[in-house]
Amino acid sequence: MHAQFQNRRYLIPFRARLLPQIFCDTLVIGSGVAGLRAALAASEHGEVILVTKSDVDRSATTWAQGGVAAVLETTDTDDAVESHIQDTLTAGCGLCSPSVVEQVVRSARPRIEELLSWGMQFDLDENGRPARAREGGHRDHRVLHAGGDATGKEVVRCLSSRVCDAPAIRIFDHCFALDLLTTSDSGNGSVVGAITHHPKYGLQVIWAYATIIATGGSGQAYRETTNPPVCTGDGVAMAYRAGAALADMAFVQFHPTTLYVAGSERALISEAVRGEGAYLVDRRENRFMVGRHEMAELAPRDVVSRSIIEHLVETGETNVFLDARHFKPGFFQKRFPGISQKLAQFGIDPADDLIPVNPGAHYTIGGIWVDDAARSTINGLYACGESSCSGLHGGNRLASNSLLEGLVYGELAGRMSAECRPTVNGNGNGNGGRAGLSESSKQIISDIPLSDRGELDLHDVRSSLRSVMWRHLGIVRDGPLMDDVREMIEFWRRYTLDKIFDDPKGWEVQNMLYVCSLICESARWRRESRGTHTRADEPARRSDFCVHDLWSRMQRPEDAPACVPCAGDAAADSDAVVGQGHEG
Ligand SMILES: Cc1cc2nc3c(=O)[nH]c(=O)nc-3n(C[C@H](O)[C@H](O)[C@H](O)COP(=O)(O)OP(=O)(O)OC[C@H]3O[C@@H](n4cnc5c(N)ncnc54)[C@H](O)[C@@H]3O)c2cc1C
């Protein structure tokens, strides 16, 4: 990796002591399910500031349609919990951390009961209990949903109204977190807060004993994506600059069914549509998934996405279709009101028309490496939700497990952040109380020399980067083509990371360059095919790659990543050709 990339510690030059100073006990960055839940838990032991770069409800969480995977043991047997655990491990292709899977799946019930007690309105079945749908990779009906296909919106409504009512939480919206502040630049210091930018108040320093990153994924790194514009990987990039380890960056989940209307913004067509019985067909109305996988349309997402791409190559067509014309009259509109509305905007009536779809980047599996208490590899920094990599999803995420992870790890991160507060014995993250925190401020200085290199058009860099990522680091990858991408990113980095920008558009492109570069490095290093990571030149799964690959700014550019052996399911890791293996 280029030295410019390795060495850059902060995106902007500053003297911390000259900026406005704000103090809190816990700083939470991001207002999706993970950040909102983390803020609530942290507010039980101290003052919290929650910053979010847009409106509070602008997040992937708000866009979530299908639901939350959860077994409620009050109505289900322990076998049902075991089966959820097993489905998660199977989808993860040998790379899940089994203890994390168990912890998350077993925590589903208390987290959901808590939501219910806070007024969450799940859709109910005829017995008045939360109705349960089935999605790809799930053997049982266990996906709870709200408003038909508006689960995320209801989760955000429920959590954010509670956050707004919590006296210990202050919300700073439209406040962009630029970088984490650390007591040392060499990766062995503690995180003591963040530098932020607000259009009205400018740059500010927010000091905190603990900082929780909950900034979501980086789907915007791809031209075709289901993600909202806020998903640019900022938190992952800032954690990397601060010295935290990132893991499994090669793994990006592609959703098989994104509405494909040329020229329009892509929109997700939930997996639940297939769960309710819709078929995937081609232009000749041939159900091409039948015979490719025993679960046909409900095979895990990587299998379905790859099959679509293969089928398009075979047929020369531009997209495939969802066929829901056999649904009972009125059912589609009732079960999927949001999707129906979106389709109506393009004159598509699912009762009469096929729905044109294609895959798109959907979920960032890799991210900030955290332990089973949501701690990153540096003191004072926690991460939860899509910006983190906890080992829950392994090599592929089971549908509807991410809202669940956000709830479970959000609560955990918020609760665990209490350990950073100074005690009378001097424990905590070593900052010595508020006086100590502000003392740190005097020492934090960022100097960035002015560059005399030429300027690139930022908009062009952004769109070229997204295109090349989609073409060569998308669903099927190939070693030599990824080498070319690496060189292109290297070039853009050289002319972009040497510059100093003064608004989020520039900072987001810089962050995307970090994230794309790390996805590329990890994907080149992983000489196998597993889960969402498929290499045409390395089609077999290799047991010597059954490890989490960790990347940090501290490693030398020529070094291989640190590898953490995966305590995964050995049976699920036998060498297998992708598509015929154990994906579900
Ligand atoms: C269309 C769609 C449908 C989905 N459906 C489902 C589903 O049915 N079930 C399921 O389990 N999962 C689903 N997912 C995935 C799931 O929604 C996400 O993984 C999950 O919501 C992520 O939550 P989060 O809190 O980690 O991040 P997000 O919800 O993405 O929130 C990230 C937050 O961080 C803020 N932020 C980012 N950068 C900065 C910065 N620099 N400074 C300040 N704030 C910042 C953003 O503004 C945002 O508030 C879906 C995803 C999409 C895109």
CSV table of all heavy atoms in Angstrom, one decimal, residues 84 99-109 390 392 401 404-405 408-409:
chain,number,residue,atom,x,y,z
A,84,HIS,N,-32.0,-21.8,14.4
A,84,HIS,CA,-31.6,-20.4,13.9
A,84,HIS,C,-30.0,-20.3,14.0
A,84,HIS,O,-29.4,-19.8,13.1
A,84,HIS,CB,-32.2,-19.4,14.8
A,84,HIS,CG,-32.0,-17.9,14.4
A,84,HIS,ND1,-32.4,-16.9,15.1
A,84,HIS,CD2,-31.3,-17.4,13.3
A,84,HIS,CE1,-32.0,-15.7,14.5
A,84,HIS,NE2,-31.4,-16.1,13.4
A,99,SER,N,-19.5,-18.9,19.1
A,99,SER,CA,-19.9,-18.3,20.4
A,99,SER,C,-20.7,-17.0,20.2
A,99,SER,O,-21.6,-16.7,20.9
A,99,SER,CB,-18.7,-18.1,21.4
A,99,SER,OG,-17.8,-17.3,20.7
A,100,VAL,N,-20.3,-16.3,19.2
A,100,VAL,CA,-21.0,-15.0,18.9
A,100,VAL,C,-22.3,-15.3,18.3
A,100,VAL,O,-23.3,-14.7,18.7
A,100,VAL,CB,-20.1,-14.1,17.9
A,100,VAL,CG1,-20.9,-12.9,17.5
A,100,VAL,CG2,-18.8,-13.7,18.6
A,101,VAL,N,-22.4,-16.3,17.5
A,101,VAL,CA,-23.7,-16.7,16.9
A,101,VAL,C,-24.7,-17.1,18.0
A,101,VAL,O,-25.8,-16.6,18.1
A,101,VAL,CB,-23.5,-17.9,15.9
A,101,VAL,CG1,-24.9,-18.4,15.4
A,101,VAL,CG2,-22.7,-17.4,14.7
A,102,GLU,N,-24.2,-17.9,18.9
A,102,GLU,CA,-25.0,-18.4,20.0
A,102,GLU,C,-25.5,-17.2,20.9
A,102,GLU,O,-26.6,-17.0,21.2
A,102,GLU,CB,-24.2,-19.4,20.9
A,102,GLU,CG,-24.8,-19.8,22.1
A,102,GLU,CD,-25.0,-21.3,22.3
A,102,GLU,OE1,-24.3,-22.0,21.5
A,102,GLU,OE2,-25.8,-21.7,23.1
A,103,GLN,N,-24.5,-16.3,21.2
A,103,GLN,CA,-24.8,-15.1,22.0
A,103,GLN,C,-25.9,-14.3,21.4
A,103,GLN,O,-26.9,-13.8,22.0
A,103,GLN,CB,-23.5,-14.3,22.2
A,103,GLN,CG,-23.6,-13.0,22.9
A,103,GLN,CD,-22.3,-12.2,22.8
A,103,GLN,OE1,-21.4,-12.5,22.0
A,103,GLN,NE2,-22.1,-11.2,23.6
A,104,VAL,N,-25.7,-14.0,20.1
A,104,VAL,CA,-26.7,-13.1,19.4
A,104,VAL,C,-28.1,-13.8,19.3
A,104,VAL,O,-29.1,-13.1,19.6
A,104,VAL,CB,-26.1,-12.7,18.0
A,104,VAL,CG1,-27.2,-11.9,17.2
A,104,VAL,CG2,-24.9,-11.8,18.2
A,105,VAL,N,-28.1,-15.0,18.8
A,105,VAL,CA,-29.4,-15.7,18.6
A,105,VAL,C,-30.1,-15.8,20.0
A,105,VAL,O,-31.3,-15.6,20.0
A,105,VAL,CB,-29.2,-17.0,17.9
A,105,VAL,CG1,-30.4,-17.9,17.9
A,105,VAL,CG2,-28.7,-16.8,16.5
A,106,ARG,N,-29.4,-16.2,21.0
A,106,ARG,CA,-30.1,-16.3,22.3
A,106,ARG,C,-30.5,-15.0,22.9
A,106,ARG,O,-31.3,-14.9,23.8
A,106,ARG,CB,-29.2,-17.1,23.3
A,106,ARG,CG,-29.0,-18.6,22.9
A,106,ARG,CD,-28.5,-19.4,24.0
A,106,ARG,NE,-28.3,-20.8,23.5
A,106,ARG,CZ,-29.3,-21.7,23.3
A,106,ARG,NH1,-30.6,-21.4,23.7
A,106,ARG,NH2,-29.1,-22.9,22.9
A,107,SER,N,-29.8,-13.9,22.5
A,107,SER,CA,-30.2,-12.6,23.0
A,107,SER,C,-31.4,-12.0,22.3
A,107,SER,O,-31.9,-10.9,22.7
A,107,SER,CB,-29.0,-11.6,22.9
A,107,SER,OG,-27.9,-12.1,23.6
A,108,ALA,N,-31.9,-12.7,21.3
A,108,ALA,CA,-33.0,-12.1,20.5
A,108,ALA,C,-34.2,-11.9,21.3
A,108,ALA,O,-34.8,-10.8,21.2
A,108,ALA,CB,-33.3,-13.0,19.3
A,109,ARG,N,-34.5,-12.8,22.1
A,109,ARG,CA,-35.8,-12.7,22.9
A,109,ARG,C,-35.8,-11.5,23.8
A,109,ARG,O,-36.7,-10.7,23.7
A,109,ARG,CB,-36.0,-14.0,23.6
A,109,ARG,CG,-37.3,-14.0,24.4
A,109,ARG,CD,-37.5,-15.3,25.2
A,109,ARG,NE,-38.5,-15.1,26.2
A,109,ARG,CZ,-38.7,-15.9,27.2
A,109,ARG,NH1,-38.0,-16.9,27.4
A,109,ARG,NH2,-39.6,-15.6,28.1
A,390,SER,N,-18.1,-8.7,13.9
A,390,SER,CA,-18.1,-9.4,15.2
A,390,SER,C,-17.9,-10.9,15.0
A,390,SER,O,-17.6,-11.6,16.0
A,390,SER,CB,-19.5,-9.2,15.9
A,390,SER,OG,-20.5,-9.9,15.1
A,392,LEU,N,-20.3,-12.7,13.6
A,392,LEU,CA,-21.6,-13.3,13.5
A,392,LEU,C,-21.9,-13.8,12.1
A,392,LEU,O,-22.5,-14.9,12.0
A,392,LEU,CB,-22.7,-12.2,13.9
A,392,LEU,CG,-24.2,-12.7,13.6
A,392,LEU,CD1,-24.6,-13.8,14.6
A,392,LEU,CD2,-25.1,-11.5,13.8
A,401,ASN,N,-30.5,-11.1,9.9
A,401,ASN,CA,-29.7,-11.2,11.1
A,401,ASN,C,-29.1,-9.8,11.5
A,401,ASN,O,-28.5,-9.7,12.5
A,401,ASN,CB,-28.6,-12.2,11.0
A,401,ASN,CG,-29.1,-13.6,11.5
A,401,ASN,OD1,-30.2,-13.7,12.1
A,401,ASN,ND2,-28.2,-14.6,11.4
A,404,LEU,N,-31.0,-7.7,14.0
A,404,LEU,CA,-30.8,-8.4,15.3
A,404,LEU,C,-29.4,-8.1,15.9
A,404,LEU,O,-29.3,-7.7,17.1
A,404,LEU,CB,-31.0,-9.9,15.1
A,404,LEU,CG,-30.7,-10.8,16.3
A,404,LEU,CD1,-31.7,-10.4,17.4
A,404,LEU,CD2,-30.8,-12.3,16.0
A,405,GLU,N,-28.4,-8.2,15.1
A,405,GLU,CA,-27.1,-7.9,15.5
A,405,GLU,C,-27.0,-6.4,16.1
A,405,GLU,O,-26.3,-6.2,17.1
A,405,GLU,CB,-26.0,-8.1,14.4
A,405,GLU,CG,-24.6,-7.9,15.0
A,405,GLU,CD,-23.5,-7.9,13.9
A,405,GLU,OE1,-23.8,-7.4,12.8
A,405,GLU,OE2,-22.4,-8.4,14.1
A,408,VAL,N,-28.5,-6.3,19.5
A,408,VAL,CA,-27.7,-7.0,20.5
A,408,VAL,C,-26.4,-6.4,20.8
A,408,VAL,O,-26.1,-6.1,21.9
A,408,VAL,CB,-27.5,-8.5,20.1
A,408,VAL,CG1,-26.6,-9.2,21.1
A,408,VAL,CG2,-28.9,-9.2,20.0
A,409,TYR,N,-25.6,-6.1,19.7
A,409,TYR,CA,-24.3,-5.5,19.9
A,409,TYR,C,-24.4,-4.0,20.3
A,409,TYR,O,-23.5,-3.4,20.9
A,409,TYR,CB,-23.4,-5.7,18.7
A,409,TYR,CG,-22.5,-6.9,18.9
A,409,TYR,CD1,-23.1,-8.2,18.9
A,409,TYR,CD2,-21.2,-6.8,19.2
A,409,TYR,CE1,-22.3,-9.3,19.1
A,409,TYR,CE2,-20.4,-7.9,19.5
A,409,TYR,CZ,-20.9,-9.1,19.4
A,409,TYR,OH,-20.1,-10.2,19.7
